[in-house]
Structures are given as C-alpha cells and as structure tokens.
DNA sequence: CATACGTGGGC
DNA sequence: TGCCCAAGTAT
C-alpha cells in the first residue's frame, strides 16, 4: 500500500505553496488554515499570511486585531486566535522553536490529533498518522468499513490501520499521499477509481459499494435566528461595535444590534438593544435591507435599518465601540455577512478592503 | 458523545 | 434551490 501510494504521490502530488518548505511554522499555519477549508480557498490566504507574518516571532508580536484581519473571510475564527496564542506560547516556552515532541505539539492551542500528526510527520518526519476527512473516506472504502465514521471507535480503528502502514522513511509524504488521493481520486461523489493506484486492493470497489462509503449521519438542520442591525451615520462616519471575545465570530466587528426576541418587532427590538449596548436613545428609521446568512449550525435573518442617535444623548467611543470613516472600514475585520450588508447599505463605498470583498454584488433587492 | 464554530463551491 | 462538502478542535 505504502509503496503504491508513494510512487503515485511522487508522480502526481499537487504543487502547493506549503509543500515547497518543511519549516514547521509554515506547515503549522497551512494545516490550521486547511481545517474544514478547501485548498483553493487557503492558497491566497496562506500567501498573504506569510508575507504579513513571515516568522513565528512576527506572528507572536502582532496585535490580535491584525491577526483577525489577516484571517477575515476564512471562517472558524478561533483558529486564528488559537494559532496566535500558541505562537506566543512557543516563543515564551520554547524560545520560538516549534517543539518536535508529540506531547508538546499536541498541547498547543488549536492543535488536535489530526494537526499534531500532520505537523509531526510532515515537518519532523515522525511516523504518526494524520487522519482527516479524506483519510477516513479512503480507508473506509479500502476496507469496506460500514461503521459510522462519526463514531470515535471507527476513527480509532482507521487510525490504527493507517498507523500500521506508515513507512518509516517517508511518513509525511505518505500522509499527504493519502489526503491527496482522497482529494483528487477517491472523492466523495464520483470517485475516479480507474485512475486509482490502489484500486485492485480496494474492498469497497470490489463490492461495488464505493459510492456508499463512508457511512456518515446526516447533519442537523441549522436553527433560524432573527437579527436586527442599525446603520448609524454621522459626519461621514459609521458606528460599529466589536463582538465579544468568545462565541460566534468572536472579536470581529459588526453593526450595532443583536437578536430579535420572538414576538417582538425588529424596530422595537433594535431600540432596546441599542439602549442597552450603547447607553443611548436611538430613533429607528427606514428599513434598508434584509440579508440572510447560513452558518454551519444556524441561519441569521438580519434586518437592517437606518437609525439616528437622539439629540442630547451621546455615543462615546470605547475599545469595542467606534465611529469609523466609511472608507476606513477595511481596517477592521468583519464577518462575511457584513460584507454582504455593506454592499447593500453602503453601495457607493469602497468598503471591505484587502481585495477579498466580492465586487460583483448580486443585484437582487 | 453532541454541539458550537464560517465560508464558499459543486451539483 | 437546497444540501453536502472541505487537510478539525474545543468544550
């Protein structure tokens, strides 16, 4: 198995930016970015990241706001925060050198079993498994494993099967070969079995069951959440607020507002939310846009209104409350839904920054 | 063990 | 359009 995969990998490996190095910091960053994220999506982020934070020390020295800005649009933002914290940990505890000890690597924030295996095998040549979704699929098909791969017991079984076939001399290449095979040949929908280097060893294919494997339970439907947000402008500046340091979209910026309780109108809810959050009375005005955004586990239905601070009350700037020139919004990390919102409610502004904002807005009203 | 945690692309 | 999927981790 290993020989076949390594030969295939030597001939067919994709030329990816993080494969032109074995620097543990570079491998680490790439692996965190690749968690639950496509290679094509990651590539430009990885290139920008390495230009902006060329070394572990540069990352450790950077303020969190800039780290989040560099991650803006990639999603799962705790990855960036954990990577940042872990970089600081490596500088503090290991003098800036990524440890090659399995326990030390695995104890770093944001590094779980898969990522630890990937870093150890790719950067340090350690013969340990790195079992991701691709590997689960490839192995489940190869051995015609019909157990649910969401089960811990099934994952353990697959991890041990992989462990037993890792070649001592090229563990990193082997793990990446397994993942590349899953990404390019042994794909979820229509596996290209005729191109597979191990097709004659595949029990799933022999049984004609390859497209039924792996077995995985269906995801729960996301919960619907009603939200309201205010566009409050004054002298060319827009009022924005920073989200809490924990939970959904932690530490990112957004328009002031919040959840609309069941049975309450969005305008009324908005007025209450802003009174509590900003300590100011606002007059809620014209309805500007509705934007729907789907997260993994919930759906936001966001209703946007223009609003004004009632004369006589003030909204003071704080660490998490800012009046920002609309053409300077690009300095702040916003979640994807707010880029949609800005396209709708600030259509004449060069918002977003960094070249990541989609300029070809859908013109559905 | 189940759930929280983003986003964009493919069919 | 809706659903599934993508190099998972933390709690």
């Amino acid at each position: 198995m290993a020989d076949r995969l390594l030969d295939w990998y030597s001939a067919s490996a994709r030329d990816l930016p993080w494969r032109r190095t074995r620097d543990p910091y570079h491998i680490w960053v790439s692996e965190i970015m690749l968690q639950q994220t496509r290679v094509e999506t990651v590539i430009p982020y990885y290139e920008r990241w390495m230009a902006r934070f060329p070394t572990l020390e540069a990352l450790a020295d950077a303020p969190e706001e800039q780290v989040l800005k560099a991650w803006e649009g990639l999603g799962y933002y705790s990855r960036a925060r954990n990577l940042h914290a872990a970089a600081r940990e490596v500088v503090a505890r290991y003098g800036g050198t990524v440890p090659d000890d399995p326990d030390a690597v695995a104890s770093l924030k944001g590094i779980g079993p898969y990522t630890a295996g990937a870093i150890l095998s790719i950067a340090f040549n350690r013969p340990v498994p790195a079992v991701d979704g691709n590997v689960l699929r490839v192995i489940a098909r190869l051995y015609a494993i019909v157990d649910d791969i969401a089960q811990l017991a099934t994952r353990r079984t697959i991890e041990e099967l992989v462990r037993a076939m890792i070649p001592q001399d090229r563990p990193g290449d082997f793990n990446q070969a397994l993942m590349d095979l899953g990404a390019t040949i042994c794909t979820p929908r229509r596996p290209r079995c005729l191109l597979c280097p191990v097709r004659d060893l595949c029990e799933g294919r022999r049984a004609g069951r390859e497209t039924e494997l792996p077995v995985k339970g269906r995801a729960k439907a996301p919960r619907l959440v009603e939200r309201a947000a205010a566009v409050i402008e004054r002298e060319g500046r827009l009022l924005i607020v920073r989200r809490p340091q924990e939970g959904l979209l932690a530490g990112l910026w957004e328009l002031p507002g919040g959840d609309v309780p069941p049975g309450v109108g969005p305008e009324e809810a908005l007025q209450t939310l802003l009174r509590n959050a900003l300590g100011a009375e606002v007059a809620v005005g014209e309805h500007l846009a509705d934007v729907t955004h789907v997260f993994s586990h919930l759906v936001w239905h966001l209703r946007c209104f223009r609003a004004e601070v009632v004369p006589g009350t003030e909204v003071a700037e704080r660490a998490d409350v800012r009046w920002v020139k609309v053409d300077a919004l690009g300095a702040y990390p916003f979640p994807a839904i707010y880029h949609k919102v800005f396209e709708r409610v600030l259509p004449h502004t060069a918002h977003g920054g960094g070249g990541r904002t989609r300029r070809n807005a859908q013109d559905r009203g």
Side-chain angles (χ1 to χ4, degrees), chain A residues 330 339 343 347-362:
Chain A
H339 288 293
E343 284 172 5
H348 307 302
T349 314
H351 55 269
R356 267 153 284 170
T357 305
R358 283 199 314 254
R359 304 290 168 178
N360 53 339
Q362 311 88 322

Side-chain angles (χ1 to χ4, degrees), chain A residues 91-292:
Chain A
V91 167
R93 287 184 57 158
Y94 308 107
T97 304
V98 180
D100 65 350
D101 170 58
D103 289 330
V105 171
S107 73
L108 294 168
K109 278 190 183 177
I111 298 186
Y114 161 74
T115 306
I119 293 172
L120 288 163
S121 63
I122 297 169
F124 296 119
N125 236 22
R126 297 272 195 140
V128 294
V131 179
D132 72 337
N134 287 309
V135 177
L136 289 174
R137 183 174 58 256
V138 169
I139 301 298
R141 285 174 175 167
L142 270 172
Y143 290 86
I145 294 171
V146 298
D147 305 310
D148 186 343
I149 59 167
Q151 299 296 312
L152 202 58
T154 312
R155 290 170 181 247
R156 246 197 310 268
T157 300
I158 290 177
E159 186 172 314
E160 291 316 311
L161 288 168
V162 172
R163 191 185 301 280
M165 49 177 118
I166 296 182
Q168 298 294 308
D169 52 335
R170 293 173 66 190
D173 284 350
F174 176 78
N175 283 335
Q176 292 185 90
L178 226 33
M179 291 189 274
D180 258 27
L181 187 71
T184 64
I185 305 286
C186 195
T187 52
R189 297 309 170 76
R190 290 160 50 90
R192 300 162 175 81
C193 294
L194 293 180
L195 301 177
C196 179
V198 292
R199 62 181 175 283
D200 58 310
L201 303 175
C202 184
E203 191 61 24
R205 170 177 159 79
R206 195 197 60 75
R209 308 276 296 273
E210 68 273 11
T211 56
E212 304 166 24
L213 298 171
V215 173
K216 192 161 62 167
R218 197 164 9 315
K220 227 177 58 171
R223 174 172 52 97
L224 183 63
V225 178
E226 297 291 338
R227 302 268 303 177
V231 174
I232 306 175
E233 286 179 287
R234 179 203 266 176
E235 296 167 6
R237 292 171 182 266
L238 179 69
L239 188 64
I240 63 173
V241 299
R242 194 175 189 196
R243 294 179 58 81
Q245 290 295 98
E246 293 194 341
L248 184 68
L249 307 171
L252 277 71
W253 292 80
E254 65 178 354
L255 295 179
D259 288 8
V260 177
V264 179
E267 293 97 332
E268 182 191 345
L270 197 50
Q271 194 170 25
T272 306
L273 286 162
L274 297 183
R275 183 184 298 128
N276 294 338
L278 305 172
E281 279 310 311
V282 300
V284 177
E286 173 196 9
H287 173 239
L288 296 174
D290 287 347
V291 176
T292 298

Side-chain angles (χ1 to χ4, degrees), chain A residues 8-20 34 37-40 43 132 134 137 175-185 187:
Chain A
W8 173 80
Y9 186 70
S10 296
S12 312
R14 291 174 290 177
D15 178 21
L16 303 173
W18 45 89
R19 287 185 176 167
R20 295 168 167 260
L34 286 162
T37 310
R38 293 187 144 76
V39 164
E40 316 83 70
I43 290 172
D132 72 337
N134 287 309
R137 183 174 58 256
N175 283 335
Q176 292 185 90
L178 226 33
M179 291 189 274
D180 258 27
L181 187 71
T184 64
I185 305 286
T187 52

